[in-house]
Amino acid sequence: MHSTAPSTTTAAPSAPQQPPAASPQELVARVDIPYEKFVLANGLTTIVHTDRKAPIVAITAYYKVGSKNEPRGRTGFAHLYEHLFFGGSANVPNFDIPLEGAGSTPTNGSTWYDRTNYVETVPTGALDLALFMESDRMGALLPAVTQDKLDKQRGVVQNEKRQGDNQPYGLAEYVVSEGLFPVGHPYRHSTIGSMADLDAATLTDVRKWFTDHYGPNNVVLVLSGDIDAATARPKVEQWFGAIPKGPEIAPVAAGPVTLPAPISRDMADQVPVLRLSRDWSGPGLNDADAPALRIGMHILGGLASSRLDNELVRGQQLAVSVSASAQIFQQVSFLDASMDVKPGVERAAAEAALDKVIADFLARGPSEDEVRRAVVSTLSGEIGGLEQVGGFSGKGATLAEGQVYSGDPAKYKADLEAIAALTPDAVRAAMQKWLGRPVYKIAVVPGQRTEDGAKMGGWGDEATNPPAAADKRAKAPKLAPAPKRSFPEVAPVGELAFPAIERTTLSNGIPVALARRTAVPKLVMSIDFDAGYVADALDTPGTQGLMLDMLEEGTTSRNATQIAEEQERLGASIGTDATLDSSSLTMSALSANLSPSLSLAADVLLHPAFAQADFDRARGQAQAELAQAQSTPSALASRTLGGELFGTHPYAQPGDGLGTETSLAALTPEALRAAHAKWLRPDLARITVVGDVTMAELKPMLEKAFGGWKAPAAPRPAKLLDAATPAPASRIVLIDRPNSPQSVILAGRVLPLTGRTANEEPLMLANDVVGNGFLSRLNADIREDKGWSYGVRSGVSQSTGPRFLQVMAPVQADRTGDSIRAIVKDMSAFPAKQPVSSEEYQRVTEGAIRALPNQFETNGAVLSAIVKNDRLGRPEDYYVRLAQTYRGIDAKGIGAAAARYLQPADLTWVIVGDRKVVEPQLKGLGLPVEVRPAPAGAATEQGE
């Protein structure tokens, strides 16, 4: 039992006996995605699911080809081809421009071992446009694919690879698959591939990949949302029916591999702590053991109350974080358990403890309660996923994956029923069967990186058996032109129907807002406090973040494990979060279990224990998070830029809330207890709820949970957001991070605006033109045209106090200086040399208006909008009126906002990269350069 401390708040009255939580079988019964299916004469399988909650339709296309289909010497090709698929077809010069102009969000694609998928969610009136475009690139892509497009997208993909490789532990994924599978196994090489193979791809390869794999008979198309099968079938026939059938894709022979004996491998990397991993290959998703492995690995290291957490993090305190998961694909799975070792712990002791937890779990299996908690939390997550009709994880993807991988769109239901029926013996048997085999052990050891990510990810035998070099001079034969087709019209989009907001006030004065939505039997809640990381300007840096983290580490009546277990039984998820401006306790809960979920949330919020042992553990984890942030290029750049822009202003606090090594070391439980009393008080709070509950049901429950909570006598603290900020100064801070294949460029400037400044919309639209989105000028230039980056973006903060502009560009190291020049040139040109074009104006105004219904599909999105409106003092109907607001802004107004706020003069630049590569490139920029070393804690030695 945790030690207790005097409570600084008045306890809420205890709740009466709660009704029992919903059973797994009851939860499964609520998961249903009805559908109709038809197949065209050319083999295109179409699935239709009707969901009329919003006037949107999701288009989800799954091509039954992924990286496992790639031959030797062509690794990474399926993914490279996915990028080319967005580059235009015979009748569609650019795939994204018409869709974004019509209000599609998101428009995206992805590649994995088993499939390549493409998704967009459009207003109902744009469905014909989306189907026309999907069919044109399915049937008429190749005439538009040129050598220039191939070369540019090759550069983009190679920078995507560099960006992943540049992260701490970024090379470990290559090492896992290399150790688990022999050369030639379809799941051995990475989906991103090797640099050499990407370099070798030719235009002839592109054409062969298209003709071999992209026929309609190898595609599953799902239409979900405001559509029915009777309407869908003639449209699909119209747009796809004339595309000829392609060759059938030959099945790939692949399966799990049992190692002949245990294998161990160490690799050095620029990481903050030692990471120990245990890996096995396992069965595919159609194997009878897959559900039990999913739940078993969740119990081992996925739950907040997992075996690894309880024993290694909270118990022996040998680890700062742990995880375990079953990543299950069509034919194999990757089974992984890992721990990040606490600094100062002997490696041998950590290895022995990790192996003992796994061995004990295999020997004895889980308890009945562990299985139930893992099952309920898993089912709760699945129910939450039903909010979205499209995207990468919504109902469209669920139906498509069932058809593609198992020949059954309703496979999800069989899987959930199997999960709900699991017993401890079934889980133990599956875990023993698959994790009882020889293990592959990997240790990522802090030090200088010795592996080269550019040479990893390929077939694996290149050194001894180099693939034949591609003849890049050979010209691909000319293609016959595709038939001409015309763009269909986009029908008008109705006004946004934002849910009605009911408001009330609890007896202690806390305002409550509710937006009722009944699409899924869940809800989300946020209790927001006028605090945030800027509160640390009145305390010690890192106080607010650590105080919030500790709320779930123990109350006066529950320890951390009990808090985690109770959430899992209820299918609830309670967490804490903060921004610069606000601190929040958040909760997702099943409607059937709302009352006990609120009771638990109230205990977490009102009665934290801040026990010394819990504090020591939580602070150690925060210190490890800080070391990880300082080892991660983008996080390090962000932490640095905030201080450079804001000086002594409260917004100079690190935006991750982690403070500094010195400030974390100085914190005490008493300091956190004082901060809790000072900032988390009812007169600084407001409650927002969105989901399946009525106000008549909700308010009494909130009164029972929070109504007895009284404000302290001390006056409310005042945040000094009107403090002065330093004058903008154009300069470069270069942080030397050796062995970085990419440089992270982050630039910013404080703007003469505050969060409650009216008429911000012209600036937001101007930023959409410059750098917010795939089609923005910065991204179009540096990613799409030059191929130097995987993505460039700009943003304007929506903070309560001074707002700031930020530009982020991770670029290949040898193009750092050129990228800065390009950013300056592109921003300077708008609007003086290059005003808003008619295409840009249509996209950022009418396109944004048409996209509004898509933006509020989930309860979480609605909740965020209500909270933001309340924080910034906006009217309740802000989003309903936004279409009218946008239509009232002309191109001249957008240009004026760009001229005033988005010019590159006086930007402060932070670059995290390899000094010896980067510094010579900065000579001709005419800016003062200050060079700093990366933080010393970014790659410390680990005790052996």
Side-chain angles (χ1 to χ4, degrees):
M1 178 64 68
H2 287 251
S3 61
T4 61
S7 176
T8 56
T9 55
T10 302
S14 59
Q17 185 68 34
Q18 307 294 350
S23 71
Q25 287 72 24
E26 289 172 322
L27 295 177
V28 169
R30 297 174 187 176
V31 182
D32 190 39
I33 316 173
Y35 68 90
E36 293 184 60
K37 183 172 78 171
F38 56 86
V39 181
L40 301 190
N42 60 9
L44 176 67
T45 299
T46 302
I47 300 166
V48 181
H49 163 67
T50 303
D51 180 343
R52 305 286 190 187
K53 73 173 180 287
I56 57 175
V57 181
I59 297 92
T60 307
Y62 268 64
Y63 288 74
K64 293 185 258 187
V65 58
S67 58
K68 73 180 181 186
N69 301 90
E70 293 164 346
R72 185 175 177 275
R74 293 297 179 267
T75 64
F77 197 81
H79 175 240
L80 174 60
Y81 183 84
E82 173 228 312
H83 279 247
L84 288 165
F85 211 55
F86 285 91
S89 55
N91 297 291
V92 183
N94 183 299
F95 195 76
D96 292 276
I97 290 174
L99 278 177
E100 286 206 20
S104 174
T105 140
T107 304
N108 213 335
S110 71
T111 310
W112 213 204
Y113 293 103
D114 302 314
R115 54 84 185 139
T116 306
N117 63 3
Y118 303 93
V119 299
E120 57 264 356
T121 301
V122 300
T124 306
L127 176 58
D128 276 306
L129 174 69
L131 294 177
F132 157 70
M133 294 174 68
E134 282 289 358
S135 65
D136 205 65
R137 61 179 179 177
M138 182 188 292
L141 182 88
L142 291 185
V145 178
T146 63
Q147 186 66 48
D148 180 61
K149 287 182 181 178
L150 172 59
D151 291 340
K152 286 174 178 175
Q153 290 306 314
R154 188 200 326 269
V156 171
V157 170
Q158 289 178 326
N159 273 300
E160 182 179 357
K161 178 178 168 68
R162 291 185 186 101
Q163 188 165 313
D165 294 353
N166 201 32
Q167 307 307 308
Y169 311 101
L171 305 184
E173 185 178 329
Y174 300 129
V175 173
V176 170
S177 54
E178 287 172 7
L180 292 180
F181 299 114
V183 171
H185 191 285
Y187 289 81
R188 184 184 194 275
H189 66 273
S190 73
T191 299
I192 200 78
S194 75
M195 286 292 192
D197 285 357
L198 290 169
D199 277 333
T202 67
L203 205 53
T204 301
D205 293 329
V206 171
R207 292 183 178 174
K208 180 169 175 52
W209 193 263
F210 177 82
T211 54
D212 286 354
H213 300 108
Y214 270 65
N217 46 308
N218 290 319
V219 182
V220 171
L221 175 70
V222 182
L223 305 181
S224 49
D226 186 23
I227 186 72
D228 53 59
T231 306
R233 181 156 196 154
K235 291 181 182 292
V236 174
E237 290 272 12
Q238 174 188 358
W239 296 116
F240 293 89
I243 301 173
K245 180 181 279 193
E248 297 293 336
I249 298 176
V252 171
V257 175
T258 298
L259 302 175
I263 301 173
S264 296
R265 176 171 174 177
D266 282 15
M267 61 183 297
D269 200 358
Q270 293 164 204
V271 295
V273 297
L274 170 68
R275 176 171 293 175
L276 303 174
S277 297
R278 304 291 184 260
D279 290 273
W280 301 260
S281 66
L285 55 83
N286 291 307
D287 190 280
D289 286 336
L293 282 172
R294 180 179 173 186
I295 294 300
M297 296 302 284
H298 199 42
I299 294 167
L300 178 61
L303 293 170
S305 67
S306 74
R307 292 288 183 95
L308 292 174
D309 272 290
N310 288 346
E311 187 62 33
L312 302 182
V313 178
R314 299 190 189 102
Q316 301 180 59
Q317 298 190 32
L318 302 176
V320 291
S321 66
V322 293
S323 69
S325 64
Q327 197 172 25
I328 304 176
F329 296 98
Q330 187 175 18
Q331 292 165 280
V332 303
S333 54
F334 291 79
L335 310 174
D336 170 84
S338 67
M339 68 182 293
D340 285 1
V341 179
K342 186 177 179 180
V345 171
E346 293 291 328
R347 175 174 171 177
E351 298 255 17
L354 174 60
D355 291 334
K356 184 176 188 304
V357 174
I358 296 171
D360 288 348
F361 187 48
L362 296 187
R364 298 180 181 87
S367 68
E368 184 77 45
D369 187 53
E370 282 178 316
V371 173
R372 183 183 177 93
R373 296 197 322 265
V375 167
V376 170
S377 63
T378 298
L379 295 177
S380 180
E382 295 286 341
I383 291 172
L386 298 184
E387 284 192 274
Q388 289 186 282
V389 293
F392 287 134
S393 58
K395 292 192 280 188
T398 299
L399 294 171
E401 290 184 358
Q403 180 66 39
V404 169
Y405 301 148
S406 310
D408 178 11
K411 176 67 159 55
Y412 72 92
K413 191 178 284 285
D415 288 343
L416 295 181
E417 288 170 351
I419 286 173
L422 283 172
T423 64
D425 285 344
V427 173
R428 178 171 57 86
M431 294 291 283
Q432 284 181 344
K433 176 179 175 181
W434 293 101
L435 272 65
R437 301 174 302 145
V439 63
Y440 181 41
K441 300 181 178 182
I442 304 167
V444 184
V445 183
Q448 289 301 307
R449 177 176 280 191
T450 55
E451 311 269 1
D452 182 0
K455 298 177 181 177
M456 305 173 80
W459 206 249
D461 63 348
E462 291 84 357
T464 57
N465 186 21
D471 183 3
K472 289 192 176 182
R473 294 173 300 177
K475 293 201 172 180
K478 288 195 172 181
L479 298 170
K484 290 290 183 185
R485 308 166 83 203
S486 299
F487 279 75
E489 292 293 321
V490 175
V493 177
E495 296 299 313
L496 171 67
F498 197 82
I501 301 170
E502 299 175 74
R503 295 188 184 268
T504 190
T505 303
L506 299 187
S507 58
N508 60 357
I510 299 178
V512 176
L514 167 66
R516 187 178 184 216
R517 305 180 96 209
T518 58
V520 294
K522 291 191 75 170
L523 56 86
V524 289
M525 177 184 77
S526 179
I527 306 178
D528 296 283
F529 298 87
D530 186 9
Y533 296 138
V534 297
D536 287 350
L538 301 177
D539 298 320
T540 300
T543 300
Q544 193 75 195
L546 186 55
M547 181 268 288
L548 292 168
D549 286 345
M550 281 208 67
L551 295 186
E552 286 188 271
E553 294 298 329
T555 71
T556 53
S557 60
R558 293 176 172 94
N559 63 30
T561 299
Q562 290 169 329
I563 292 170
E565 289 179 352
E566 194 163 339
Q567 289 180 69
E568 291 153 5
R569 289 188 196 102
L570 294 168
S573 177
I574 297 171
T576 57
D577 193 15
T579 63
L580 282 172
D581 290 318
S582 62
S583 301
S584 307
L585 181 136
T586 60
M587 182 181 77
S588 168
L590 296 164
S591 300
N593 295 340
L594 176 55
S595 183
S597 299
L598 281 173
S599 178
L600 177 61
D603 190 38
V604 167
L605 177 61
L606 303 183
H607 308 126
F610 297 117
Q612 184 69 49
D614 297 332
F615 169 81
D616 291 340
R617 181 181 68 250
R619 179 171 61 180
Q621 291 174 291
Q623 289 167 328
E625 284 182 50
L626 176 58
Q628 176 77 358
Q630 294 183 146
S631 300
T632 304
S634 57
L636 176 57
S638 180
R639 288 176 58 83
T640 304
L641 182 64
E644 296 299 315
L645 294 183
F646 285 100
T648 59
H649 187 278
Y651 278 1
Q653 297 296 322
D656 54 21
L658 292 169
T660 66
E661 294 98 328
T662 303
S663 67
L664 284 177
L667 288 174
T668 64
E670 290 71 29
L672 302 191
R673 197 171 288 118
H676 179 267
K678 180 178 179 180
W679 295 102
L680 303 193
R681 40 191 286 167
D683 53 348
L684 289 178
R686 59 175 57 245
I687 297 174
T688 310
V689 179
V690 179
D692 187 14
V693 65
T694 66
M695 184 64 87
E697 295 164 335
L698 176 65
K699 187 175 180 180
M701 293 187 203
L702 290 177
E703 281 288 353
K704 286 177 182 176
F706 302 107
W709 178 25
K710 304 303 181 187
R716 296 191 295 181
K719 300 185 293 186
L720 305 177
L721 297 186
D722 56 355
T725 58
S730 193
R731 58 204 170 88
I732 295 174
V733 176
L734 170 59
I735 299 176
D736 183 21
R737 185 177 183 270
N739 305 313
S740 296
Q742 269 195 338
S743 298
V744 170
I745 300 170
L746 194 61
R749 183 177 68 251
V750 179
L751 301 175
L753 296 169
T754 66
R756 291 179 178 256
T757 302
N759 302 320
E760 64 178 293
E761 290 76 21
L763 171 57
M764 296 302 154
L765 296 181
N767 184 61
D768 288 346
V769 173
V770 171
N772 182 34
F774 185 81
L775 294 173
S776 68
R777 292 184 182 184
L778 290 174
N779 196 67
D781 181 17
I782 297 172
R783 171 183 155 135
E784 290 298 289
D785 187 57
K786 295 182 169 68
W788 296 344
S789 174
Y790 180 52
V792 181
R793 66 182 186 273
S794 68
V796 176
S797 71
Q798 294 199 302
S799 42
T800 308
R803 296 198 173 190
F804 56 96
L805 167 69
Q806 185 170 284
V807 181
M808 165 76 85
V811 301
Q812 62 192 67
D814 62 345
R815 292 293 190 176
T816 307
D818 290 337
S819 296
I820 292 175
R821 289 185 183 89
I823 291 169
V824 170
K825 181 180 178 183
D826 290 340
M827 294 181 74
S828 298
F830 180 39
K833 295 180 181 176
Q834 191 180 350
V836 179
S837 69
S838 58
E839 184 181 88
E840 288 172 326
Y841 179 73
Q842 191 278 333
R843 173 172 60 84
V844 301
T845 55
E846 282 301 317
I849 291 166
R850 289 169 174 164
L852 283 171
N854 303 20
Q855 294 179 16
F856 302 109
E857 192 180 1
T858 67
N859 290 343
V862 173
L863 179 99
S864 295
I866 296 171
V867 168
K868 182 187 288 186
N869 284 347
D870 287 343
R871 180 173 57 80
L872 296 179
R874 292 170 172 171
E876 194 169 88
D877 62 349
Y878 174 82
Y879 288 100
V880 175
R881 292 164 46 190
L882 193 54
Q884 179 183 343
T885 303
Y886 282 163
R887 291 190 178 112
I889 301 170
D890 59 14
K892 184 178 178 181
I894 294 173
R900 184 174 183 189
Y901 300 117
L902 301 182
Q903 296 308 297
D906 296 330
L907 285 177
T908 295
W909 303 80
V910 173
I911 303 170
V912 179
D914 192 329
R915 175 183 184 177
K916 67 179 182 298
V917 176
V918 173
E919 192 173 20
Q921 303 176 50
L922 308 180
K923 300 289 188 193
L925 294 176
L927 298 175
V929 178
E930 176 190 349
V931 180
R932 300 177 189 173
T940 55
E941 290 301 317
Q942 187 74 35
E944 291 296 318

